[in-house]
Amino acid sequence: MITFDKVNKRYDSGQDALVRVSLEMDRGEMVFLTGHSGAGKSTLLRLLTAIERPSGGSVLVAGQNLNRLRNSRIPYFRRNLGIVFQNHQLLFDRNVFDNVALPLTVAGCGRREVGRRVRAALDKVGLLQKEKHNPITLSGGEQQRVGIARAVVHKPAILVADEPTGNLDPRLSEEIMGLFGDFNAVGVTVLVASHDLELIARLRRRVITLRAGQLVFDGVPGRETVHP
């Protein structure tokens, strides 16, 4: 489903953000991406979502080589992705329903289909009763749930989250991770970047760890492969 083959990313400043990173994720797998600040986690996610291009090596998603993806095709490629951000990136001039509906509206879905899908997504994250609220009136945890509903409303094959619990307390963090687990249980491939090592350890999922742009750990705790 997802393959990084000896991927390098060097910025114009000369910084090597990723150094010969190779990894594979199977369809339907849920994986956590960890590492210190500046280790390369966000860079890896930006390459996966075609926000940036690698300096070397190949990134493949569902058999498609992103190195060869034309800029004009990137929006169509991203329709297969759901992306969750730490800071939500919600529109505060629109209500919850309209925020979640945005990907469907852009894709040209009809009004009835939009209504059905948005309410199903909001129900899944426990916010159906707040569809008419402005996001600014919601708690941080609720705002993150709106972001998750927006990311999954178009039924993506892959869900990517960059520090989705970074601003939440431990109880809310566990609830949000539980939602990702629920989506994974119905076949969505999930990749979550997180600093919350204690929570990740309890979930007993595969963990990929980066250090200074290099892959140093890959495996489920207790059954891992450590990279020198």
Side-chain angles (χ1 to χ4, degrees), residues 93-152:
D93 61 344
R94 306 186 188 193
N95 64 23
V96 166
F97 182 99
D98 289 340
N99 267 273
V100 176
L102 189 59
L104 301 178
T105 303
V106 170
C109 290
R111 182 181 300 180
R112 181 174 298 181
E113 179 73 0
V114 169
R116 184 183 67 80
R117 288 203 185 188
V118 169
R119 291 187 176 98
L122 287 173
D123 188 39
K124 184 67 177 176
V125 301
L127 290 177
L128 184 56
Q129 75 283 8
K130 296 194 175 183
E131 66 173 71
K132 296 186 186 301
H133 289 224
N134 188 293
I136 205 168
T137 67
L138 305 182
S139 69
E142 289 172 331
Q143 288 182 10
Q144 189 58 288
R145 287 171 180 267
V146 174
I148 293 171
R150 182 183 58 192
V152 301

